[in-house]
Amino acid sequence: MMREASIRGDFPALAQSVHGKPLVYLDNAATTQKPLAVLDAMQRYYLQDNANVHRAAHTLAARATEAMESARSKVAALLNAGASDLIVFTRGTTESINLIASGIEHQLRSGDRILVTALEHHSNFVPWQQCALRSGAKVDVVRVTPEGEIDHDDFAAKLFPETRIVAFAHVSNALGTIHPVNELVSTIRSRCGARIVIDGAQAILHLPVDVRALDIDFYAFSSHKMFGPTGMGVLYGRREALDSLRPSQYGGEMIEHVTMEASTFNVLPFRFEAGTPNIAGAVGLGAAVDYLSSIPRDALLLQEEKLIGQAIAALTAMNGIRLVGRPKERLSVVSFLVEGASAHDVGTLLDQQGIAVRTGHQCTMPLMQSLGISGTVRASFSLYNDTTDVERFVQAMHKTLTFL
Ligand code: PLP
């Protein structure tokens, strides 16, 4: 039997008990735990190098600037961005998408259209609704199939010459569906000149992402979903696409020259990074990128896939469980309901047995509305989960069913 590859020992938070039971952490789509390598790098930065970036001539400032810019280069390499000035540091996916939505607004007119899908996280839905409200554009929403996939015919039918932006997730946080980005991008490119925005929050840890090969305009993700710290994120943009955005925050760092009357703005990416940045966050993200390249990611991904298969098989065999979504291509996530019980009660009973899952609308109310449900129980796996986690989860589910 093949031995499981294990990186579990690198994550101190996993070695604890909850309610007297060893923790089984299956809420990875919400946030991942952090390896020691990331925590150490951040602590080392604060202990030795802490200073503000880009401003002072002293040694610590030079070290802090170097630490932040080297993190930017690592992210550029991870995405095959081609240049590190195309990597804008943000607070996370949400801020990255808002940065695009408010920066692009001045280019939109009444009659223009924005296309999103019913599967989007609120972070890739509400900013577009607001952008449309302010600009007079209209939001079209692509239907989702009962399996939890984008309805391709509907997608194609809703691409108009007036469609100026198409925004969709690489991987759905609620159902785990992997969207065929290449295929969707070529459909878009054949029909209109829309900017293509990909929400990569759930993909970045699990899939190789080559932003140039994907032929997209923007790619957004959060560090905390790929073993890095919270409060840190990335917006990649094609140079000409980034250049066309207006900054939405003004102040220090983002200016070139300021007079009593007017200001001019800095070059990319600093134009979009007003104020003192999250330097320790960038250091942590850089360490997370290094950590990812030091582990056998392909083997761990295969293992994760196997675990999801086991969880799905076990849930399918249980009476009273309804799986939500059966996408052909999926990763990390299993969403389900227990007939006659609230998702919240299931989550609470699992927590009492040491199992951490997410319950509720999964920040995807339009999707829940399309599926005719109010929420789900979501177990989401990561590279450090193992067969013991699945076994414990399945045992806990059997026990939970006896209580309900
Ligand atoms: N998009 C997707 C697909 C997500 O899963 C999430 C977080 O759950 C977000 C966007 C928002 O990410 P953040 O809260 O880190 O900005």
Side-chain angles (χ1 to χ4, degrees):
M1 203 173 83
M2 203 172 84
R3 222 183 122 251
E4 279 177 338
S6 183
I7 53 166
R8 216 180 165 81
D10 297 341
F11 294 79
L14 296 174
Q16 63 180 300
S17 291
V18 169
H19 300 301
K21 310 274 171 13
L23 170 67
V24 173
Y25 187 75
L26 297 179
D27 195 16
N28 294 288
T31 198
T32 57
Q33 298 301 339
K34 319 301 171 201
L36 259 181
V38 167
L39 304 175
D40 284 348
M42 293 177 75
Q43 192 183 28
R44 206 176 319 114
Y45 164 75
Y46 274 128
L47 290 175
Q48 296 171 5
D49 304 328
N50 177 51
N52 212 328
V53 289
H54 303 306
R55 287 188 191 126
H58 63 81
T59 303
L60 264 57
R63 276 197 229 145
T65 305
E66 155 59 21
M68 190 161 138
E69 294 313 312
S70 107
R72 205 187 299 276
S73 306
K74 288 172 190 176
V75 172
L78 179 77
L79 300 179
N80 191 28
S84 56
D85 63 343
L86 304 181
I87 304 300
V88 178
F89 284 146
T90 64
R91 277 195 306 122
T93 314
T94 306
E95 189 174 78
S96 299
I97 294 171
N98 275 281
L99 195 157
I100 313 167
S102 46
I104 210 166
E105 198 180 297
H106 68 282
Q107 300 170 30
L108 302 181
R109 310 267 167 283
S110 157
D112 285 343
R113 307 176 88 117
I114 301 169
L115 186 62
V116 294
T117 84
L119 263 156
E120 299 314 309
H121 188 282
H122 296 155
S123 294
N124 195 28
F125 203 92
V126 184
W128 300 116
Q129 278 180 334
Q130 293 300 310
C131 173
L133 270 180
R134 292 187 301 253
S135 63
K138 176 181 186 304
V139 178
D140 296 305
V141 183
V142 180
R143 275 199 302 267
V144 173
T145 67
E147 288 72 37
E149 293 170 339
I150 289 177
D151 180 326
H152 286 223
D153 292 340
D154 196 47
F155 185 84
K158 287 179 174 152
L159 285 168
F160 302 98
E162 300 78 25
T163 305
R164 304 289 307 280
I165 297 153
V166 182
F168 60 94
H170 199 162
V171 173
S172 150
N173 64 300
L175 306 179
T177 318
I178 306 174
H179 299 308
V181 179
N182 286 320
E183 194 183 320
L184 296 173
V185 167
S186 60
T187 309
I188 299 165
R189 296 276 183 234
S190 69
R191 291 180 185 234
C192 60
R195 293 273 187 223
I196 303 177
V197 178
I198 306 293
D199 170 353
Q202 295 297 337
I204 192 69
L205 178 63
H206 303 272
L207 298 176
V209 174
D210 180 330
V211 287
R212 286 188 288 172
L214 286 175
D215 188 25
I216 42 132
D217 295 287
F218 296 106
Y219 197 92
F221 68 88
S222 304
S223 134
H224 71 95
K225 295 192 197 274
M226 51 164 289
F227 304 157
T230 51
M232 185 67 205
V234 167
L235 172 62
Y236 156 82
R238 197 195 280 275
R239 186 174 303 282
E240 167 270 319
L242 275 178
D243 272 334
S244 74
L245 298 180
R246 273 196 189 149
S248 44
Q249 292 196 12
Y250 298 87
E253 302 275 352
M254 60 78 64
I255 50 85
E256 176 194 48
H257 195 68
V258 181
T259 66
M260 294 284 189
E261 293 76 30
S263 308
T264 55
F265 304 130
N266 207 341
V267 293
L268 292 177
F270 310 112
R271 192 186 314 153
F272 298 111
E273 295 179 356
T276 300
N278 181 0
I279 309 162
V283 169
L285 171 59
V289 174
D290 285 342
Y291 178 77
L292 274 181
S293 59
S294 75
I295 58 175
R297 193 149 68 133
D298 290 348
L300 294 165
L301 283 169
L302 278 178
Q303 180 177 300
E304 186 192 292
E305 214 179 298
K306 205 174 79 189
L307 300 182
I308 293 160
Q310 287 168 0
I312 291 174
L315 288 169
T316 308
M318 286 179 206
N319 282 332
I321 301 283
R322 174 179 155 201
L323 288 171
V324 180
R326 286 181 180 275
K328 280 195 281 300
E329 297 289 333
R330 114 162 52 203
L331 59 77
S332 176
V333 168
V334 184
S335 254
F336 62 95
L337 286 168
V338 177
E339 307 287 358
S342 83
H344 183 262
D345 287 351
V346 176
T348 307
L349 287 166
L350 287 173
D351 177 58
Q352 282 161 8
Q353 299 168 77
I355 319 285
V357 294
R358 178 77 177 263
T359 61
H361 54 63
Q362 317 297 351
C363 291
T364 53
M365 286 193 200
L367 173 64
M368 298 299 149
Q369 199 183 329
S370 307
L371 298 174
I373 56 181
S374 60
T376 66
V377 182
R378 181 186 71 185
S380 53
F381 293 79
S382 192
L383 306 182
Y384 41 61
N385 290 115
D386 58 19
T387 36
T388 311
D389 290 338
V390 182
E391 283 159 18
R392 290 266 325 281
F393 167 66
V394 172
Q395 275 164 16
M397 275 304 301
H398 279 299
K399 195 156 169 195
T400 297
L401 291 176
T402 65
F403 286 127
L404 291 167

